[in-house]
Amino acid sequence: RPDLVPALKDGGASVKRRRFELRDVLVVVQIAVSLVLVVGGALMVRSLFAAGRVALGYDGDRTAYLSLALEMNGYDAERGGKLLEAGVLRLQSLPQVEAVALASRLPLSINNNTFSLFVPGHETADNRPIPIDGASVDERYFGALHLKLLAGRGIEPADRDESRKVAVITRAMAERYWPGQPENALSREFRLREGGEPYRVVGVVEDYKVNTPGESPTPYIHLPLGRHDSYADFIVRTPGLAGAMVPVLQRELRALDPELVFVDRGTLRKLADVRLFPVRAGAWLIGAFGALALVVAAVGLYGVIGYSVSRRVREIGIRKALGARPGQLVAMVLGEGMMLVGVGGVIGAVLAAAAARVLSSVLFVGPFDVVSFAIAFGVLALVALLANAVPARRAARVDPMVALRSS
């Protein structure tokens, strides 16, 4: 039972290491920041995968769209309306087309169309209108998107011919203003301006994604599309993937007027991807910073543990001379490094939880998604283990005779 204290002190007081030094604190901070960024990146990546599986309420891959602003070609409202109807008939005649519809706004379009509503029984204190998103649609719209009618009826040709003041609303709007069964909303009225002619609800359809793929059920109204309009979006459902059909659809419409200018074209899946761009960009950005932070933390951890081993060569040599096995020395060094990882991980987990709440508005998974946190902890632990492994192996290979002679 030798007294090792004098022997260890013999190499000088510089061998003694405090429990926490400034460099340890810096490594803990680096690990905490790394964990926050890696958790954020994991949440964003998981959200991208989850967004691809979100049910839009319609088939975005099989639905194409073409947007026309006919005033750009010199059409007035009357001529524009006739060309739009002729375009519908021409596209419907194609064997590769299942359904065609017209609308003033596409689902998931970045151009929101907001109406100002006055709903009896839901007046605000200062009598301000209630903003509700919506679109003017034709009688084929709900069929083209395969939207389920829950109560009443859809838009009819007579509604457009006679400019009737009718509306079809989503379930979310019915629940907000006339809760209960969807039938409760039928024949209810609202106005688009104070003192204006009332619109009557004639139908209720199932909710679908109208602004973003990740939105909760959204109140939305559908009014009859006028017969005389110079702007509209063609909505075309195809039997297969619609992307390849877009050039064909353009060619068919240009057969009516070779000078037609398309404001936009593509598929509804493309619009969903545009709406998901902030999530995708965030995933790349946070992921890149997270990877950089991991590298910095690994280098810092390697440096701290490596320096500690270099200062403790004599101590390690004595331990080995007294019978310490290489595995015990590796465990000792790894334990020192992983203790720093543990402290930084606890601090980082608290900060990551707070950051996740901030990101919750753009996530398609819960802010405390267990899988994302597990992935982040796993990656951090693996990187930290690799950073500690080299100094630990160096400690295990110390020659006790060389270490003792160096004193």
Side-chain angles (χ1 to χ4, degrees):
R1 296 185 179 181
D3 186 358
L4 298 180
V5 175
L8 293 175
K9 286 184 175 179
D10 194 36
S14 62
V15 174
K16 185 177 180 181
R17 188 178 191 275
R18 299 172 187 171
R19 191 168 184 82
F20 272 104
E21 298 180 350
L22 178 60
R23 64 179 66 90
D24 297 332
V25 175
L26 293 177
V27 169
V28 167
V29 171
Q30 289 172 346
I31 290 170
V33 172
S34 299
L35 184 61
V36 172
L37 292 172
V38 175
V39 167
L43 285 170
M44 299 295 273
V45 171
R46 287 262 299 158
S47 291
L48 276 179
F49 284 105
R53 299 190 298 269
V54 167
L56 301 176
Y58 43 84
D59 194 333
D61 295 309
R62 292 176 52 211
T63 308
Y65 71 90
L66 302 99
S67 302
L68 284 175
L70 295 175
E71 63 270 15
M72 298 174 66
N73 291 96
Y75 284 77
D76 57 21
E78 184 174 356
R79 289 180 60 228
K82 290 179 179 178
L83 186 138
L84 292 175
E85 291 297 331
V88 170
L89 295 176
R90 187 172 186 89
L91 296 182
Q92 281 180 333
S93 66
L94 295 176
Q96 310 97 313
V97 170
E98 290 184 347
V100 183
L102 293 172
S104 64
R105 184 206 181 237
L106 296 162
L108 303 180
S109 170
I110 60 175
N111 299 317
N112 288 3
N113 190 12
T114 303
F115 295 92
S116 299
L117 268 60
F118 294 88
V119 182
H122 296 273
E123 293 84 0
T124 58
D126 53 0
N127 205 32
R128 293 170 60 185
I130 302 168
I132 297 289
D133 288 341
S136 297
V137 304
D138 69 2
E139 65 276 14
R140 299 163 289 248
Y141 179 84
F142 302 111
L145 292 179
H146 271 169
L147 300 178
K148 183 180 179 181
L149 189 66
L150 302 178
R153 64 175 179 83
I155 300 297
E156 296 179 347
D159 297 328
R160 302 177 62 201
D161 295 333
E162 301 172 17
S163 300
R164 293 174 181 171
K165 304 298 184 182
V166 297
V168 177
I169 64 175
T170 58
R171 182 200 289 266
M173 182 169 177
E175 285 291 335
R176 176 179 292 186
Y177 298 107
W178 307 286
Q181 296 298 319
E183 291 80 3
N184 293 349
L186 298 180
S187 299
R188 303 285 188 164
E189 295 183 345
F190 61 85
R191 290 174 169 80
L192 296 185
R193 64 177 184 275
E194 190 175 9
E197 190 175 348
Y199 279 76
R200 180 171 55 89
V201 176
V202 296
V204 180
V205 295
E206 189 59 86
D207 295 315
Y208 61 104
K209 305 301 183 183
V210 293
N211 291 323
T212 67
E215 69 189 7
S216 54
T218 304
Y220 203 71
I221 64 174
H222 309 84
L223 306 180
L225 181 69
R227 290 291 185 185
H228 304 297
D229 275 305
S230 58
Y231 178 87
D233 298 299
F234 286 90
I235 299 174
V236 185
R237 192 180 75 241
T238 61
L241 297 179
M245 279 294 296
V246 172
V248 177
L249 301 175
Q250 283 185 270
R251 187 166 59 248
E252 289 297 320
L253 291 177
R254 283 209 169 107
L256 300 174
D257 183 345
E259 303 300 323
L260 285 181
V261 176
F262 292 92
V263 178
D264 196 11
R265 59 199 179 278
T267 66
L268 293 190
R269 178 60 61 189
K270 168 194 166 186
L271 292 182
D273 291 341
V274 170
R275 287 292 195 172
L276 289 173
F277 175 76
V279 179
R280 185 174 292 105
W284 278 102
L285 188 62
I286 296 177
F289 278 110
L292 179 61
L294 269 179
V295 171
V296 172
V299 171
L301 192 60
Y302 169 82
V304 166
I305 302 304
Y307 181 62
S308 174
V309 168
S310 69
R311 294 175 65 194
R312 298 170 64 185
V313 169
R314 180 176 172 77
E315 173 199 341
I316 293 170
I318 292 174
R319 288 177 182 274
K320 202 167 186 181
L322 294 175
R325 294 187 299 273
Q328 292 175 312
L329 296 175
V330 169
M332 179 188 73
V333 176
L334 285 179
E336 180 181 323
M338 296 311 286
M339 181 185 68
L340 297 179
V341 176
V343 174
V346 171
I347 298 173
V350 175
L351 297 176
R357 294 184 69 89
V358 175
L359 290 173
S360 60
S361 61
V362 296
L363 296 178
F364 293 85
V365 295
F368 305 115
D369 180 58
V370 176
V371 176
S372 298
F373 275 79
I375 290 173
F377 276 107
V379 170
L380 181 64
L382 178 61
V383 171
L385 195 61
L386 293 175
N388 282 320
V390 175
R393 286 172 57 83
R394 185 187 306 159
R397 291 199 299 265
V398 168
D399 187 335
M401 296 305 298
V402 173
L404 293 173
R405 281 201 299 267
S406 66
S407 61

